[in-house]
Amino acid sequence: AQSVTQPDIHITVSEGASLELRCNYSYGATPYLFWYVQSPGQGLQLLLKYFSGDTLVQGIKGFEAEFKRSQSSFNLRKPSVHWSDAAEYFCAVGGDAGNMLTFGGGTRLMVKP
Amino acid sequence: DTEVTQTPKHLVMGMTNKKSLKCEQHMGHRAMYWYKQKAKKPPELMFVYSYEKLSINESVPSRFSPECPNSSLLNLHLHALQPEDSALYLCASSRPGTGAPNQPQHFGDGTRLSIL
């Protein structure tokens, strides 16, 4: 069965600092990986996805993520965080069968002025 | 702006009421989903429709009844809900993944449901 772990429940960074959110997955075959962001009172917005090819993927809002098969990781990064990035971030893995997504527990990002 | 529209945004209902949540998308997606999300938790899958047919029911109680009247609409009928059913209900859509790479799901902003 597939699973996703986001080791950090909360992260606080200063505005302008760099950010890395960790995601580890467990999946037997080639995973399809996603990062979503959820602002308070809103739905989930897709930041980026990895299906195949280049292991460094670029997303919206200046985010990028790197797929590392050897480490079963798909960490999200941003070089300079803005106050508007404060939100909940979910990593998710999907498989070949149907459209099932498995979400990690989420990481709440707080941004200090 | 989200491409998946959910109505109403907020709903308060008593345990004996009957209400419906609505979801609409015009992206041509043929897979649609209902999720339940409790505070500070990830979304939990409830139902999946593929080509307007129910393909996955994650052992959801019968007081939740989904309906997909056409390829653009998804409803969730509610009856005799319990206080623990209070949550954010999210709808999502995607291209069907069968036989093709798993496609990203696009989410609506949800309906915040409170059961009195």
Side-chain angles (χ1 to χ4, degrees), chain A residues 10 32 34 36 38 41-46 49 51 88 90 94-101 103-106 108, chain B residues 31 33 35 37 40-43 45 48 56 58 88 90 94-98 101-105 107-109 112:
Chain A
H10 294 101
Y32 302 108
F34 309 87
Y36 286 89
Q38 185 177 31
Q42 296 190 357
L44 278 68
Q45 182 182 22
L46 180 69
K49 61 185 183 290
F51 287 168
E88 188 84 24
F90 293 101
D96 291 314
N99 300 283
M100 300 292 288
L101 272 184
F103 286 93
R108 177 162 295 278
Chain B
Y33 315 76
Y35 288 87
Q37 186 180 27
K40 302 184 189 301
K41 297 291 186 183
L45 183 66
V48 180
I56 295 173
E58 290 288 293
L88 181 67
L90 293 165
S94 74
R95 289 175 51 201
T98 303
N102 199 276
Q103 295 296 311
Q105 296 180 19
F107 286 80
D109 283 339
R112 177 74 59 188

Side-chain angles (χ1 to χ4, degrees), chain B residues 52-69:
Chain B
E52 295 85 68
K53 295 191 187 308
L54 184 64
S55 60
I56 295 173
N57 177 341
E58 290 288 293
S59 302
V60 179
S62 60
R63 57 186 183 270
F64 295 91
S65 176
E67 178 196 20
C68 190

Side-chain angles (χ1 to χ4, degrees), chain B residues 8-47:
Chain B
K9 293 191 183 302
H10 302 275
L11 179 62
V12 180
M13 56 186 289
M15 289 189 284
T16 59
N17 292 157
K18 287 185 180 181
K19 296 287 185 183
S20 297
L21 308 185
K22 298 185 182 302
C23 175
E24 187 169 6
Q25 58 87 16
H26 293 289
M27 294 179 283
H29 292 167
R30 302 302 296 276
M32 297 186 76
Y33 315 76
W34 280 115
Y35 288 87
K36 174 183 178 181
Q37 186 180 27
K38 302 287 276 186
K40 302 184 189 301
K41 297 291 186 183
E44 299 173 14
L45 183 66
M46 300 174 71
F47 303 103

